[in-house]
Amino acid sequence: MRTHSLLLQTIIRSKSFTELHLSVSLPFTSMAVSFKMCVSFGLFVGLMMLGLVSSAKFDELFQPGWAMDHFIYEGELLKLKLDNYSGAGFASKSKYLFGKVTMQIKLVEGDSAGTVTAYYMSSDGPNHNEFDFEFLGNTTGEPYLVQTNVYVNGVGNREQRMNLWFDPTKDFHSYSILWNQRQVVFLVDETPIRVHTNMEHKGIPFPKDQAMGVYSSIWNADDWATQGGLVKTDWSHAPFIATYKGFEIDACECPVSVAANEIAEKCRSSGEKRFWWDEPTMSELSVHQSHQLVWVRANHLVYDYCTDTARFPVMPVECEHHRH
């Protein structure tokens, strides 16, 4: 599933905006100097912050990783095709350390059993870090399951699964990963569905020093994806199509010329250099977001590795301390 990092390309811009850290998102411009204004209750707080702001065009940020003949371009839309010959995948042209990545995706319609549409960030090597969205297909009429996972220093096994409060095959929805030195947040339409908190003070490793690429793919996983592999892919329904638009990367780019031991320093706020993801309001969820997360977990969570005593007779150490 993982592909190699490719060429480097992004657009560096400054951002000056005011924000009171609510779950309100307004579109920002694609000018060389961008301004983002989030207004709450008529109050304004000014902060100068830096970021790398993407274009929404696929080919400015990404390029095909494999099976180029399974890519379909229709204006602003990109479609990835899975058939009984191949799936397809793409990768970002740059790697990043901290920030936020977003894609709008419309998942495979109809009978998608056995298929997986994956969207994730990952570094390289056996001790890699990785943040996964995996959308697990299902038979017609049954809900998609969204599986998230976090790898730290090559160790994963932190799966959570949930269904969604909408049909993800009928329209586009935004899926985001927000990453800073304090937390990793998985968001669906700006609603947090999972938080992985930095608990280094408890001796638990946290991913903060490996730059990551951004990837997505569609592939056949009928040995495990649907009902534990009991339901296989029905190739008579192929091709299976996942459709994308609205590609956004607002993160700190890490060129290959930057040494590994300098990456963290390059992407850390210091002095007048301020990144928006390092602001105090971004160190934890807002009260409203915390309520949203509690609601999601109460109503849509169907599996959490932290409560799987068959797999983990001894509770994983991060689960003992995690608030969510």
Side-chain angles (χ1 to χ4, degrees), residues 162-181:
M162 61 185 57
N163 53 47
L164 295 167
W165 51 96
F166 54 84
D167 184 343
T169 73
K170 298 303 183 185
D171 204 351
F172 289 92
H173 294 269
S174 67
Y175 302 92
S176 305
I177 300 169
L178 169 66
W179 174 32
N180 59 31
Q181 296 185 70

Side-chain angles (χ1 to χ4, degrees), residues 84-255:
N84 56 351
Y85 296 101
S86 179
F90 59 83
S92 61
K93 295 179 178 180
S94 295
K95 290 188 176 183
Y96 304 91
L97 186 70
F98 307 133
K100 184 179 181 181
V101 301
T102 298
M103 294 181 193
Q104 295 180 43
I105 308 174
K106 184 166 70 171
L107 296 173
V108 177
E109 293 189 66
D111 186 348
S112 57
T115 72
V116 172
T117 303
Y119 158 45
Y120 60 104
M121 299 184 70
S122 181
S123 58
D124 297 327
N127 296 318
H128 75 287
N129 299 327
E130 184 173 331
F131 313 138
D132 292 341
F133 274 105
E134 290 182 312
F135 304 97
L136 312 183
N138 216 330
T139 54
T140 302
E142 296 295 321
Y144 252 91
L145 289 179
V146 180
Q147 175 169 285
T148 58
N149 201 356
V150 176
Y151 285 74
V152 184
N153 297 332
V155 179
N157 296 325
R158 298 181 176 93
E159 298 91 349
Q160 292 182 0
R161 289 186 181 184
M162 61 185 57
N163 53 47
L164 295 167
W165 51 96
F166 54 84
D167 184 343
T169 73
K170 298 303 183 185
D171 204 351
F172 289 92
H173 294 269
S174 67
Y175 302 92
S176 305
I177 300 169
L178 169 66
W179 174 32
N180 59 31
Q181 296 185 70
R182 300 292 298 275
Q183 60 182 354
V184 180
V185 184
F186 295 79
L187 302 114
V188 176
D189 290 337
E190 295 303 310
T191 296
I193 65 166
R194 180 176 185 172
V195 177
H196 184 81
T197 304
N198 186 334
M199 291 184 285
E200 290 180 300
H201 64 289
K202 300 287 187 180
I204 301 169
F206 183 79
K208 65 175 189 179
D209 57 3
Q210 297 183 41
M212 301 173 114
V214 184
Y215 306 90
S216 190
S217 59
I218 185 170
W219 47 292
N220 178 44
D222 65 4
D223 57 332
W224 65 271
T226 305
Q227 298 182 32
L230 295 177
V231 181
K232 301 300 183 181
T233 303
D234 183 348
W235 294 109
S236 69
H237 294 194
F240 303 98
I241 304 290
T243 309
Y244 301 76
K245 69 175 183 178
F247 303 90
E248 299 178 10
I249 298 179
D250 189 351
C252 182
E253 183 193 22
C254 299

Side-chain angles (χ1 to χ4, degrees), residues 59-70:
D59 58 2
E60 292 184 358
L61 296 170
F62 298 92
Q63 65 183 29
W66 50 287
M68 292 183 64
D69 59 344
H70 282 55

